[in-house]
Amino acid sequence: MFAVVMLAGIYGLVCASFFVAMDAVDVAFTEASIGAGISTLLMLTTVAMTGRTDHEATHKPLMAFVAVIVTGGLLIYGTFDMPYFGSADAPVHQHVGPHYIYDSIQEIGVPNMVTSVLASYRGFDTFGEVTVIFTAGIGVLALLSVARRPEDDAVMEAINDSMHEKHLILRIVIKTMIPFIVLYAFYVQFHGDYGPGGGFQAGVIFAAGIILYAMLFGLGAARRVITQPVVQMLSALGVLVYGSVGLVSMLNGGSFLDYNVLAADPIAGQHLGILLIELGVGLTVASVMIIIFYSFVGRSQFQKANKGELL
Amino acid sequence: MIIAATLAVLVVMILAIIRAVVGPSLYDRILAVNMFGTKTVLLIALLGFVMGRPEFLDIAMVYALINFVSVIGVLRLSDAFNAKHNGPVAEPAKRDS
Amino acid sequence: MDTVLTLLSSFCLLFGSFLCLSGGVGILRFPDFYTRMHAVGVTDTLAAAMILIGLMLQNPDLLVIIKLMMILLMTLFISPAASHALGQAAVLNKLQPLINMNINPLEEDTSAGDKSSKS
Amino acid sequence: MRYKINLSIVLALFWLLNSGHYTYLILALGAVSIAIVVFITHRMDVVDHESQSINLSLTAPKFGIWLAKEIVVANLTVIKHIWLGNKSISPTVITVKASQKTDVGKVIYANSITLTPGTVALGLVGNEIMVHALIRENIEALESGDMDRRVSQLENS
């Protein structure tokens, strides 16, 4: 099982390199942080919760393999109907693509086209995505959150102390790294207009910083730094910020999420709108990631505590 | 030259994957994945130059960070798995002189 | 001046590629986990440094050079910590190192192979 | 407090060097971000003498250059042995003493050992570092204590 998860992590890395090769920087960025980093970790925690060895397979692996081959073959056959890669008369290049590419600088005033498409032209879709993430956070909370007892915390404290002593090198290196990781998250957040980056990636990097801290100093310590109620509130706040930007633009006489009316000058309005909604996205993503991590790890520690085999 | 370096890094990545698949121990795999990650950082930096878009470097930097986080995470969790077998630190072999 | 820079950068890149490839061969060729760590160490330190320096010499843009330097510093800062953590975990879980195999061939049978932690 | 100010300065440099966009808006956002980061790290309690091992002293650059030279030499040795094959290596595990007084010093020493290929620090307990070496010559170089002395110098000055 472990090996499978590791290979999935490698797959994430390969994917991201592939996106880089295809010039899709922002996608690669997201894949790098989410696909290769966080999801590997979460899968591992899941494996830790459910047990490392799988049960005896009850179905025939050969059948599954054949099914996969057939489906894959059909899908590849399906691609024959698609226009050739990079062909100029593909439907993608006929529809709104040229408009986004050629006019976004004048209309939005943001050098990074992906950001303007994501946050402005497709603002509604992104709002939906943020809500999905928020819902996922709520779902995880509903399924996995456990009532914490104070004595558990005390036991965990003891373990974490031993972690410190055992990992002197890691402790010092990580202590030095954490401020830079967190600041880098903010940097990615606010430079989404100019280069690859934006709320999604920033949120994940921020969460990665916190997760790093939690892994070394223990979940209890991380929960004291950023408490559960605060994260829950922040995740809701993110969606709220996003939504309110839309509402304010409606109040100012535009349609929902039409940033042109946010300021006197349409470009400035777009700029402000994108900044704000990216902030909302970042808040939600970061806090939901942290919530998921807290719940997963808290749950597995809870299970272990119940079995009396805490490390 | 950059292309040559890119190819070299790609080859090394394939070698690392082979090691990750072959194993044999869990730590070999983690080592291979870690190496794969650091090579991806290089690859992205190189690709940025091949494409003439040096802002790729931001991604390379995030990679370096995320790679570190996941390796530490994997180790932490595998530590938890193997906790049962945990004993005193293995005796270092004496230098035979 | 330009030709000197180009030459230098080509040299750095080629040397870095060679080091990288050697490390890759090493990770396949060496007999056990601990020795493989050294091969990875090669690709993490000098190979990465050479390739990144080669790239630095190619680009006149100060911002890019600074970013490359940051990546380099970060690699040099992170990689020993990661290797150490990995090695320590392996030791704690009693993965036996292969020791002195060329000096005392009799020991080879007893200490060869990875005894613990099948994945 | 001194550490927090130091940290803020370093973070500000980090931001400025990375950013490349020096408009008022971005600079203001940067300042706010740094404030938040310092606040979070304060709550995490990670800002102290241990986390600021970099600005140790003026001898640090000298040590860096020496270490770089060592790394190059060690790399070439390891490469040679990779191509010579398994017959030429003699993996060994020993423990060496670290004579540094502080934790930071020991960590720098252990990391320097790991950074030079051919030797990897496997464990750091008390002031003993367990080292795995690829070939015997590496061990001898370590046992001569050159690196240990230099790291101690770094710590004292």
Side-chain angles (χ1 to χ4, degrees):
Chain A
M1 285 299 271
F2 226 95
V4 175
V5 177
M6 307 296 292
L7 288 178
I10 285 200
Y11 173 71
L13 288 171
V14 174
C15 250
S17 330
F18 193 62
F19 287 134
V20 170
M22 303 277 269
D23 227 9
V25 198
D26 291 74
V27 189
F29 210 149
T30 322
E31 178 64 36
S33 41
I34 299 181
I38 302 289
S39 63
T40 316
L41 276 184
L42 289 181
M43 273 197 273
L44 280 175
T45 7
T46 319
V47 176
M49 263 193 278
T50 52
R52 184 168 158 192
T53 46
D54 28 14
H55 299 288
E56 202 61 38
T58 48
H59 53 86
K60 297 271 193 308
L62 191 66
M63 276 301 286
F65 186 66
V66 169
V68 167
I69 292 285
V70 168
T71 323
L74 284 177
L75 284 176
I76 291 174
Y77 176 71
T79 59
F80 288 150
D81 274 351
M82 290 185 189
Y84 286 113
F85 175 73
S87 129
D89 37 84
V92 207
H93 301 297
Q94 304 283 322
H95 191 42
V96 286
H99 176 71
Y100 288 160
I101 293 174
Y102 297 117
D103 302 337
S104 75
I105 292 278
Q106 284 93 46
E107 283 182 16
I108 316 284
V110 166
N112 184 8
M113 215 187 300
V114 180
T115 305
S116 52
V117 171
L118 202 73
S120 190
Y121 292 117
R122 299 270 172 93
F124 217 76
D125 295 4
T126 314
F127 189 48
E129 283 161 25
V130 174
T131 324
V132 167
I133 292 173
F134 181 60
T135 321
I138 296 178
V140 168
L141 266 185
L143 287 174
L144 290 179
S145 69
V146 284
R148 283 192 299 143
R149 294 171 308 199
E151 60 262 31
D152 283 353
D153 283 0
V155 179
M156 282 170 205
E157 279 314 278
I159 304 159
N160 294 328
D161 282 349
S162 66
M163 274 307 280
H164 278 206
E165 292 312 309
K166 227 165 63 186
H167 296 285
L168 183 65
I169 294 184
L170 278 186
R171 186 182 82 207
I172 289 180
V173 169
I174 289 179
K175 264 180 156 179
T176 321
M177 294 282 305
I178 280 181
F180 293 97
I181 298 182
V182 178
L183 185 70
Y184 198 74
F186 283 105
Y187 160 76
V188 170
Q189 168 84 53
F190 295 125
H191 285 72
D193 295 1
Y194 305 104
F200 285 100
Q201 294 90 341
V204 174
I205 299 171
F206 185 85
I210 305 293
I211 289 174
L212 192 60
Y213 179 75
M215 279 186 307
L216 192 73
F217 294 87
L219 192 64
R223 269 187 165 141
R224 270 199 305 279
V225 174
I226 300 187
T227 57
Q228 188 97 14
V230 168
V231 213
Q232 287 171 12
M233 211 185 65
L234 282 181
S235 68
L237 186 72
V239 182
L240 194 67
V241 166
Y242 203 135
S244 351
V245 172
L247 285 182
V248 167
S249 62
M250 268 172 98
L251 286 179
N252 283 4
S255 47
F256 189 66
L257 290 175
D258 177 7
Y259 316 126
N260 283 345
V261 291
L262 284 181
D265 175 23
I267 300 274
Q270 288 284 357
H271 214 86
L272 184 65
I274 290 179
L275 194 73
L276 283 174
I277 64 151
E278 288 279 4
L279 194 63
V281 173
L283 273 177
T284 306
V285 172
S287 36
V288 168
M289 290 291 164
I290 295 172
I291 287 180
I292 295 179
F293 181 76
Y294 278 5
S295 316
F296 271 46
V297 176
R299 181 71 176 189
S300 59
Q301 285 188 351
F302 175 76
Q303 278 181 345
K304 271 188 230 148
N306 279 358
K307 282 189 223 145
E309 53 168 34
L310 252 172
L311 275 177
Chain B
M1 283 317 115
I2 297 184
I3 309 264
T6 316
L7 286 179
V9 172
L10 272 175
V11 171
V12 176
M13 284 164 86
I14 293 169
L15 296 179
I17 292 187
I18 295 176
R19 180 46 78 195
V21 173
V22 173
S25 78
L26 170 66
Y27 297 99
D28 283 302
R29 289 176 215 267
I30 303 179
L31 186 71
V33 171
N34 182 21
M35 180 183 179
F36 190 87
T38 52
K39 292 295 94 57
T40 320
V41 174
L42 286 185
L43 181 72
I44 290 178
L46 283 165
L47 275 179
F49 275 77
V50 172
M51 307 246 171
R53 290 186 60 184
E55 70 260 30
F56 281 27
L57 293 177
D58 278 345
I59 312 176
M61 197 144 17
V62 170
Y63 253 91
L65 288 176
I66 294 283
N67 190 40
F68 181 59
V69 174
S70 39
V71 168
I72 299 298
V74 169
L75 286 176
R76 182 82 161 82
L77 289 166
S78 67
D79 259 12
F81 283 145
N82 297 324
K84 294 184 211 89
H85 317 292
N86 231 343
V89 177
E91 199 57 27
K94 294 283 176 298
R95 204 187 145 203
D96 54 334
S97 46
Chain C
M1 192 59 203
D2 258 6
T3 37
V4 177
L5 271 188
T6 320
L7 270 179
L8 260 180
S9 120
S10 309
F11 170 75
C12 283
L13 284 174
L14 280 183
F15 189 50
S17 317
F18 170 69
L19 286 173
C20 242
L21 281 177
S22 313
V25 172
I27 197 180
L28 286 186
R29 202 166 175 193
F30 275 157
D32 83 327
F33 166 74
Y34 296 95
T35 43
R36 281 174 206 141
M37 278 178 76
H38 301 297
V40 174
V42 170
T43 64
D44 273 354
T45 54
L46 193 61
M50 276 295 150
I51 289 183
L52 290 177
I53 290 174
L55 288 181
M56 278 181 218
L57 294 175
Q58 292 244 332
N59 197 298
D61 190 353
L62 188 66
L63 201 68
V64 172
I65 293 179
I66 286 171
K67 283 198 174 158
L68 283 170
M69 257 156 99
M70 272 183 190
I71 294 177
L72 179 57
L73 279 181
M74 208 138 73
T75 321
L76 290 184
F77 198 65
I78 286 176
S79 74
S83 324
H84 167 77
L86 196 53
Q88 193 180 34
V91 170
L92 286 177
N93 288 305
K94 303 201 176 145
L95 184 68
Q96 291 298 327
L98 202 59
I99 291 168
N100 293 339
M101 51 180 193
N102 295 320
I103 288 127
N104 188 355
L106 287 177
E107 269 187 16
E108 205 165 336
D109 291 325
T110 52
S111 64
D114 307 303
K115 281 174 188 155
S116 67
S117 306
K118 288 174 205 79
S119 64
Chain D
M1 201 55 214
R2 189 165 68 89
Y3 297 117
K4 298 219 173 65
I5 294 169
N6 277 350
L7 179 70
S8 314
I9 294 169
V10 176
L11 286 178
L13 266 179
F14 181 75
W15 179 280
L16 290 175
L17 288 177
N18 257 318
S19 164
H21 292 278
Y22 305 111
T23 57
Y24 288 116
L25 176 70
I26 294 286
L27 286 179
L29 287 173
V32 173
S33 313
I34 290 170
I36 298 175
V37 172
V38 171
F39 174 68
I40 292 177
T41 46
H42 166 71
R43 289 198 55 148
M44 282 177 170
D45 198 22
V46 292
V47 193
D48 52 22
H49 64 282
E50 285 186 346
S51 67
Q52 302 200 346
S53 46
I54 299 172
N55 43 18
L56 268 174
S57 65
L58 291 172
T59 50
K62 197 178 138 214
F63 176 73
I65 291 167
W66 178 80
L67 187 62
K69 193 200 84 203
E70 287 295 299
I71 290 175
V72 173
V73 173
N75 263 297
L76 295 177
T77 324
V78 174
I79 291 290
K80 194 180 85 197
H81 285 275
I82 287 176
W83 291 108
L84 283 179
N86 287 345
K87 286 278 163 283
S88 68
I89 57 172
S90 45
T92 322
V93 179
I94 55 151
T95 50
V96 292
K97 281 245 184 278
S99 63
Q100 288 77 27
K101 283 174 220 76
T102 58
D103 283 353
V104 179
K106 285 176 206 157
V107 169
I108 294 177
Y109 184 35
N111 271 359
S112 310
I113 290 177
T114 316
L115 259 183
T116 45
T119 47
V120 172
L122 292 180
L124 172 57
V125 180
N127 55 4
E128 289 194 330
I129 302 177
M130 186 174 155
V131 180
H132 184 277
L134 188 62
I135 36 175
R136 293 168 148 277
E137 288 81 71
N138 290 329
I139 293 285
E140 275 144 30
L142 260 187
E143 279 183 339
S144 73
D146 194 18
M147 188 186 270
D148 188 34
R149 210 182 52 246
R150 279 169 194 270
V151 177
S152 294
Q153 269 173 15
L154 193 67
E155 188 182 41
N156 291 331
S157 52

